[in-house]
Structure formats: C-alpha cells, structure tokens
Amino acid sequence: MASILPASNKPMRSDQNTYVGKSFVHVKNPYLDAMDEDILYHLDLGTKTHNLPAMFGDVKFVCVGGSPNRMKAFALFMHQELRLPGSGEDIEDICAGTDRYCMYKVGPVLSISHGMGIPSMSIMLHELIKLLHHAQCCDVTIIRMGTSGGIGVAPGSVVITDTAVDSFFKPRFEQVILDNIVTRSTELDKELAEELFNCSREIPNFPTLIGHTMCTYDFYEGQGRLDGALCSFSREKKVDYLKRAYIAGVRNIEMESTVFAAMCRLCGLKAAVVCVTLLDRLECDQINLPHDILVEYQQRPQLLISNFIKQRLGLCDQTS
Ligand code: R2B
Ligand code: URA
C-alpha cells in the first residue's frame, strides 16, 4: 500500500509499516489504492463523505464487544473515568445511520459493537481496520471485551487470552476464500496480555487468569451444549470433549476471538481479548445467574480495560 502521509513530512521508513517511532495500521489489499472512494457500508462512513483523519486520527484505544448497549455503557463509563467535560449522556452513535453496529468516541477511545459470531466480527473488522488506516491512526491498541463460558474456572473469573484456538484446540483461523481454505495464525500480543494481567492484580477481589480461549461457530452444539434445539452427542462425549479442551489449556469458550486475533495480527494491530466467564461448562450449560450478578460480571472486563487505559495515559491515581 502506498503511504497516506504527505510526502513532505514523511518520516524515515524502517520497515513496511513502521515509520521511525510510530506503528501505523495497515491494510493488505493492492486494490484499495486504486479506489477513488471507499464506502464503509456497515459503519455508514466513507472517505468522501467524512473527514476520517479529523474524526478519528487521535484514536489510540479501540474497544470492541458484542452488544451495542454494553459498548454504549462502556463509552459512558470511559467518559466518566477520563474525567472528560459534560455528563456524556448526549454521546452520539457515530454509526447511527445503520443499525448493524454502534460506535462511540470518547477522547482517544473508540467503543464499537461487533455482534455475535465470526462473520459479524469479520465484517466489522474489515471496515474498522480500513477506517483506522484511512484516518492515519498510529500506535493503536485494540481489545475485545466480552462474555464466555468457563472451563474449570469459577463463574465471574476474567480470562485474558494468550492464544485463541479453534474447536480442535489449534491456534488457527480457517477462512474459506474463493474455494480455498486459508489458514491464519491466532497468536495474540503476549506483552499486552501480561500488562492487562498486572493491571488486574491492582483491583481487589478480581479473579483473573491468562489462558487459551476456544472460539466456536455456534453457542449450542458447537460448544458441546446439551440444551439446544438439536443435540447429536451424549453427556459423556460432552464432558470428555470439555476435559480435553481443559488439558489443552483452554479456560473459556466464546465466538469471535480467532478471527479477531488473525485479522488484527495481519494488519499490525496489538490486540487482546478479555472475557468474563458466566458459568463453568463442566458444571452446567444454562446461564441462570440473577440479573444483578450478570450485570456486575459483564462490567468486569470494562473495569479492567478502563484501568489499563488510564494507566497507559498516566492517569493511574484515578484507578477505580
Ligand atoms: C460470547 O457471548 C455471545 C453468545 O452469547 C457471543 O458473541 C460470544 O462470543
Ligand atoms: N458466550 C459463549 O459463547 N458461551 C457461553 O457459554 C457464554 C457466553
């Protein structure tokens, strides 16, 4: 990809994507350069209709999560934690023109929903990564916050993913492209995971661990549940599978981490996945937590990520 920096103030190039001291978000598509306009259809944004560098150029932290309401709540929480002026209540959904995804910007933090499952995450990420590229963002950290089913860990535990694995416990994401299967690595940034873990240790009563996260294409049979509309295996087979997952290092199961890890890695984004567990899948399949406990658990990744961002911004004395 040709550089989007004006030739006159282009810093010295040290490799394909890093200009001395700065790491830019990059895209790997030779056709993009030749396009007169890029319409980010599902985000309701575009290079001709919006001044993307002015709107997003200062973004340093991108936080993504499945639910639009949760990502709005996170944006409001960040507004308060960063002590930005105003109540934040009038915060605007930048993607209000579409009901596919929502997006809020709070200082250097972008909060975006990605829906459920790999295809929904993948569409959002293609457009988000192009957005960050068009906006000339640099040194961006991206974190997925979410919910998950734990394996052998107490409900309410926060799992920071070291590696996302597929249903065969392999660190790979297989994407069908034309009629080929393309396999991509799902390694995440180990230093970022450690930094988040260290941050978690400063929060009282905050059970956190680092482990593998298994990403599946389905919530029910795909996660070995016995309570879907279909179930084609025995209780014994389910327990045997989940125990093998545990032995392979898997501590939680969700539905987006492999494509998230693979795409962010290829595009030079430092990425992390932080998910709270809602149940122990070795014990049960149904999520039957009282509403207030469910709400509190869902806030745990938000609290950790907010403290991490404040620490990175040198606002540690304001840690919640
Ligand atoms: C976690 O929770 C959702 C399913 O309930 C899914 O998006 C995921 O990854
Ligand atoms: N999300 C999942 O994908 N699985 C669970 O068990 C809970 C939340």
Side-chain angles (χ1 to χ4, degrees):
M1 240 354 247
S3 167
I4 29 86
L5 288 175
S8 54
N9 59 8
K10 215 188 231 183
M12 223 172 69
R13 201 174 176 128
S14 63
D15 69 35
Q16 221 190 341
N17 316 300
T18 312
Y19 290 84
V20 177
K22 285 188 174 179
S23 174
F24 286 88
V25 181
H26 50 97
V27 289
K28 293 193 162 175
N29 177 359
Y31 294 98
L32 276 185
D33 258 355
M35 283 165 52
D36 179 41
E37 178 178 15
D38 189 7
I39 296 168
L40 308 175
Y41 168 65
H42 302 87
L43 301 182
D44 194 35
L45 294 167
T47 50
K48 280 209 168 155
T49 46
H50 299 82
N51 183 345
L52 299 177
M55 289 173 75
F56 299 103
D58 63 339
V59 167
K60 296 293 174 210
F61 304 96
V62 177
C63 302
V64 305
S67 135
N69 283 336
R70 219 188 305 137
M71 296 324 288
K72 181 173 185 183
F74 178 69
L76 291 171
F77 181 54
M78 281 313 307
H79 183 98
Q80 178 192 310
E81 293 295 290
L82 296 179
R83 302 201 178 159
L84 296 175
S87 70
E89 292 302 322
D90 52 352
I91 192 163
E92 263 181 49
D93 178 2
I94 299 168
C95 300
T98 164
D99 56 5
R100 298 296 184 184
Y101 303 105
C102 72
M103 179 189 288
Y104 300 92
K105 185 172 180 300
V106 180
V109 181
L110 205 56
S111 177
I112 311 167
S113 68
H114 57 63
M116 277 194 287
I118 287 172
S120 183
M121 169 66 100
S122 167
I123 294 166
M124 190 283 286
L125 273 183
H126 273 280
E127 296 183 13
L128 169 67
I129 291 168
K130 290 196 295 173
L131 164 67
L132 298 172
H133 173 74
H134 292 312
Q136 303 169 23
C137 295
C138 65
D139 301 328
V140 175
T141 297
I142 182 164
I143 308 177
R144 156 162 153 73
M145 60 175 80
T147 56
S148 61
I151 305 184
V153 299
S157 304
V158 172
V159 179
I160 301 170
T161 309
D162 54 6
T163 303
V165 299
D166 67 8
S167 300
F168 302 89
F169 322 137
K170 296 272 198 309
R172 65 183 178 194
F173 173 61
E174 291 186 323
Q175 164 97 56
V176 178
I177 301 178
L178 307 183
D179 49 359
N180 295 307
I181 295 175
V182 174
T183 304
R184 291 172 172 160
S185 164
T186 53
E187 292 285 328
L188 287 155
D189 192 283
K190 298 272 187 298
E191 278 177 22
L192 179 57
E194 284 292 335
E195 196 178 339
L196 283 158
F197 183 69
N198 290 337
C199 225
S200 77
R201 296 207 292 202
E202 289 168 26
I203 310 174
N205 306 317
F206 201 85
T208 310
L209 58 137
I210 294 184
H212 296 352
T213 294
M214 181 161 77
C215 178
T216 66
Y217 286 92
D218 172 46
F219 182 84
Y220 287 98
E221 284 182 295
Q223 294 187 4
R225 278 191 158 80
L226 302 170
D227 63 341
L230 301 173
C231 185
S232 51
F233 47 85
S234 65
R235 183 179 301 277
E236 291 68 35
K237 288 267 184 212
K238 165 201 160 176
V239 173
D240 171 68
Y241 178 66
L242 294 181
K243 284 188 173 162
R244 282 187 288 118
Y246 185 88
I247 290 165
V250 175
R251 294 295 176 270
N252 66 340
I253 316 176
E254 48 76 273
M255 298 177 60
E256 295 87 15
S257 59
T258 49
V259 72
F260 174 76
M263 288 184 70
C264 293
R265 185 184 164 85
L266 283 171
C267 296
L269 281 164
K270 285 194 192 300
V273 178
V274 177
C275 289
V276 69
T277 63
L278 301 181
L279 72 173
D280 182 355
R281 290 298 319 289
L282 293 174
E283 304 289 333
C284 59
D285 291 337
Q286 296 237 309
I287 300 168
N288 54 12
L289 296 167
H291 182 72
D292 54 334
I293 305 237
L294 188 62
V295 170
E296 194 271 309
Y297 283 1
Q298 288 181 2
Q299 283 167 350
R300 291 184 181 187
Q302 299 190 19
L303 177 63
L304 174 55
I305 292 163
S306 146
N307 283 359
F308 162 81
I309 291 173
K310 286 189 294 178
Q311 205 169 84
R312 277 272 184 104
L313 293 175
L315 307 169
C316 343
D317 54 318
Q318 293 180 17
T319 292
S320 291

